[in-house]
Amino acid sequence: MFQLLLDVGPYCLCFYAVMILGVLVFLVSRLWKMLRQLNQESRADIPPGSLGLPLIGETIQFMAAINSGKGFYDFVRVRSLRYGNCFKTSIFGETHVFVSSTESAKAILNNDMGRFTKRYIKSIAELVGNQSLLCASPHHHKLLRGRLVNLFSTTSISLLVQQFDELIVNALGVWEDEGTVIVLNEALKITFKAMCKMLLSLESGPELELLQKDVGRVCEAMLALPLRFPWTRFYKGFQARERIMSMLEKIISRRRRGLDASAEDFLQHLLAKDDNSCSGGLHRLTDAEIQDNILTMIIAGQDTTASAITWMVKYLGENEEALEAIKAEQLHLAEKTSKKLFLTLDDLNEMHYASKVVKESLRMASIVPWFPRLVLQDCEIEGYKIKKGWNVNIDARAIHLDPMVHNEPNNFNPSRFDDESKPYSFLAFGMGARTCLGMNMAKAMMLVFLHRLLTTYKWKVMDSDSSTENWAIFSRLRSGCPVHVTRI
Ligand code: HEM
């Protein structure tokens, strides 16, 4: 063969080489075309969107949005404008799909076929603990929820209304001395005290202050990369979690030794040996389950309710018509309740317009902007194929602000709730088996706050900026809503 090539001379050699190269180029280009066609066919039914770089995906862009001053939701907002109602991305090494139609929300939250389960990103799961209701497997979640839901009975909410009213009356009493107050800071103090009293009967003292600081650190670490180096935000949050766990351990041990056993709080109910609900076949919680879920409830209840109160004060302060309507209702109610020391649950049931103000504030603010779920079986959403192991997130904020779902969605209009709203169009507290456990409690806290504020002060919002805080897991107003108050 070699001899033959030498024999045919250099010109023929070149000719053969060009021929072979030509055939090769032809074959490779055909193969490339076939592969592209195949790829396009399989891509046609998976959601649009970019998976970013190998391994890290779009994590850098996600972290940049958290740090940008526009808030972490901006990452989702920009992509949903680009790709529409359903898109995919990759964060923290996992594929995430975001969906924002009421039909998809219904299918996922109803979860009739058991195709989805709740799952948070790794950092959140590690900080709240693996026994938390937020991270439990479907079976474990059922046991935990069955036990915890008893704590939120009408009787305990009635008690909370009085406790919360007392806290607010005391807190608002000193506002006029300050002239200008940052509503978010005040609301955080009030809701934290309310949660700690309700859960642990902690009312004041160094233990409460330490706990408040540590809960703040845990919340700040929730969106951080789960890196355990001493200088990282996540590490500091994790250390704070450990301190909270050991504080709760000590409190539980005191109760078990019969100290503070007369306390009427959630912890005492969970520890009670003769608890009726457990004799009725319900799961008795272990100490680890109690600890993780007490922390979960503080986090789930404090920041959310305080943020909601802050947005509500801002929206009302900026909407004269709604403010006048609610004032008339509350002043009328105040005439009836003036002889009573504290408000009752029955009084709250008469606050019809205020209830709509609460709902409208929650719709516009979307405190929990999206709800994450893990896909347990291959399925189809919005006509796209969704694979087992992916995460789907229901973009509640996009639904709340969709003009096809809510007329003039950017206008604060509590009366929109006079008419029956479309199914799955109001998702402030979620829906289905994972609906917010503290929903009625949060609404009660917001109504009591409104009543006391409206019947005590006039206020003027001093900063109209609506941007949200960096690193906050819930939508929190960055300015904190500074208001100037004058006693009526
Ligand atoms: C305005 C205040 C609040 C808002 C906007 C809010 C919102 C939500 C939302 C949207 C969910 C469901 C998320 C999902 O489906 O993935 C949820 C779950 C939860 N919330 Fe709230 N919440 C508030 C107040 C509270 C309070 C006061 C507590 C308790 C004391 C609480 C405890 C919980 C718990 C334990 C869950 C998990 C339920 C489960 O997974 O079974 N929340 N909340």
Side-chain angles (χ1 to χ4, degrees), residues 118 134 141 145 195 300-301 304 371 373 428-430 434 436 438 442:
K118 190 145 152 179
L134 298 182
H141 172 262
R145 189 165 168 120
M195 296 302 295
T304 47
F371 317 146
R373 297 290 185 271
F429 293 107
R434 311 298 297 241
C436 176

Side-chain angles (χ1 to χ4, degrees), residues 109 118 120 133-134 141 145 152 195 198 296-297 300-302 304-305 308 362 367-368 371-373 427-431 433-439 441-442 445-446:
L109 294 172
K118 190 145 152 179
Y120 282 96
L133 191 67
L134 298 182
H141 172 262
R145 189 165 168 120
F152 295 84
M195 296 302 295
M198 168 187 100
T296 299
M297 283 191 269
Q302 183 216 359
T304 47
T305 315
L362 290 168
I367 308 290
V368 183
F371 317 146
R373 297 290 185 271
L427 295 175
F429 293 107
M431 286 263 180
R434 311 298 297 241
T435 306
C436 176
L437 212 52
M439 176 170 74
M441 197 164 269
M445 290 202 257
M446 291 173 76

Side-chain angles (χ1 to χ4, degrees), residues 1-9:
M1 174 75 172
F2 185 63
Q3 190 55 48
L4 183 73
L5 288 176
L6 283 179
D7 289 347
V8 292

Side-chain angles (χ1 to χ4, degrees), residues 62-116:
F62 183 67
M63 300 311 281
I66 292 173
N67 250 327
S68 70
K70 291 186 186 156
F72 67 101
Y73 182 76
D74 206 55
F75 175 86
V76 179
R77 190 186 64 82
V78 168
R79 280 158 186 77
S80 92
L81 282 178
R82 194 180 305 156
Y83 302 114
N85 259 356
C86 178
F87 70 88
K88 70 173 183 312
T89 177
S90 165
I91 337 173
F92 299 124
E94 296 193 359
T95 302
H96 283 259
V97 174
F98 283 82
V99 291
S100 54
S101 73
T102 48
E103 293 78 19
S104 311
K106 181 177 175 192
I108 298 166
L109 294 172
N110 260 355
N111 196 18
D112 291 336
M113 324 273 278
R115 286 184 300 205
F116 309 97

